[in-house]
Amino acid sequence: MGHAGQGASLEAQVVSHFADSARLKTDSAKLLSAPIARGIGLMAAALRAGGKILACGNGGSAADAQHFAAELVNRFERERPPLAGLALTTDSSALTSIANDYSYEQVFEKQLRALGRKGDVLLAISTSGGSANVVAAMRAARELGLRIVALSGNGGGRMAAELSAEDVHVCVPHKRTMRIQEVHLLVLHCLCDGIDTQLFGEKK
């Protein structure tokens, strides 16, 4: 096959990714809108009461945790005061010392025990729903009296079992990591937009 044939084949592959992603987002909208709205309510109430949102995840989900915290601390789409968001994925000294002295499973849990307070919210992100260090952070959050907003996929895995009726589970109905991550990003933007609306009213 020549370069022209390869180019057409690659383009078709790209179009297929776009179509698959768009289809999943459309299919997920009705299923996930209610839990996302509940998550917005939990987070906005915590921030209004002087609490903070602590976020964690691994790999692409670590990037999502940092993205979300940055949107809170800096801004989303409007001028407004900074909001208290903290990613537990960014302090290399804390992460490596905990992993070295104890275990990688505790890298988020130990930070949460140090920094989390009753009334805060943990944003726990795992595309598989099975990340051991995220599950450990969720258990610590429950002990400390934090509410949890869990973003998962693939049926929710071990995360689902750690949630109470007062927590929120946003589980993307898909098995492929990249598709789940694409929906997670949209969910995070919905959370940011909803928090701003709850705290500062409709955009003018």
Side-chain angles (χ1 to χ4, degrees):
M1 185 185 285
H3 289 305
Q6 285 178 338
S9 155
L10 281 173
E11 284 180 27
Q13 192 173 333
V14 169
V15 167
S16 168
H17 280 302
F18 271 80
D20 193 33
S21 186
R23 193 180 312 112
L24 176 60
K25 285 170 179 159
T26 303
D27 291 348
S28 299
K30 281 185 182 169
L31 184 68
L32 301 183
S33 57
I36 293 168
R38 282 190 57 227
I40 290 165
L42 270 188
M43 289 178 169
L47 292 165
R48 192 182 283 120
K52 59 189 174 298
I53 318 297
L54 302 121
C56 67
N58 298 280
S61 299
D64 284 344
Q66 289 159 221
H67 183 153
F68 181 72
E71 305 275 35
L72 290 183
V73 170
N74 182 26
R75 56 173 289 183
F76 183 54
E77 286 194 328
R78 66 168 91 187
E79 290 300 323
R80 49 101 167 125
L83 299 174
L86 181 64
L88 302 178
T89 53
T90 56
D91 185 337
S92 60
S93 293
L95 291 166
T96 54
S97 66
I98 295 165
N100 187 58
D101 295 350
Y102 296 92
S103 72
Y104 188 65
E105 188 171 322
Q106 294 182 57
V107 292
F108 301 137
E109 176 193 354
K110 288 200 81 154
Q111 291 187 79
L112 187 83
R113 289 187 185 282
L115 302 168
R117 298 289 179 269
K118 186 171 183 175
D120 293 344
V121 173
L122 173 67
L123 175 63
I125 312 173
S126 170
T127 55
S128 67
S131 301
N133 54 8
V134 175
V135 170
M138 291 170 69
R139 287 183 184 143
R142 263 218 329 271
E143 277 178 46
L144 294 167
L146 280 74
R147 295 279 170 263
I148 302 165
V149 176
L151 269 55
S152 74
N154 205 23
R158 290 168 58 199
M159 288 172 83
E162 297 299 328
L163 295 163
S164 75
E166 294 172 312
D167 299 318
V168 172
H169 192 191
V170 180
C171 183
V172 180
H174 209 281
K175 288 190 156 91
R176 290 183 78 179
T177 297
M178 67 171 167
R179 289 288 98 90
I180 297 165
Q181 285 175 333
E182 287 159 7
V183 178
H184 280 180
L185 180 57
L186 178 57
V187 171
L188 294 177
H189 285 159
C190 290
L191 292 170
C192 290
D193 184 57
I195 288 166
D196 278 5
T197 302
Q198 290 278 293
L199 296 182
F200 306 106
E202 296 290 340
K203 270 184 290 204
K204 294 186 173 79

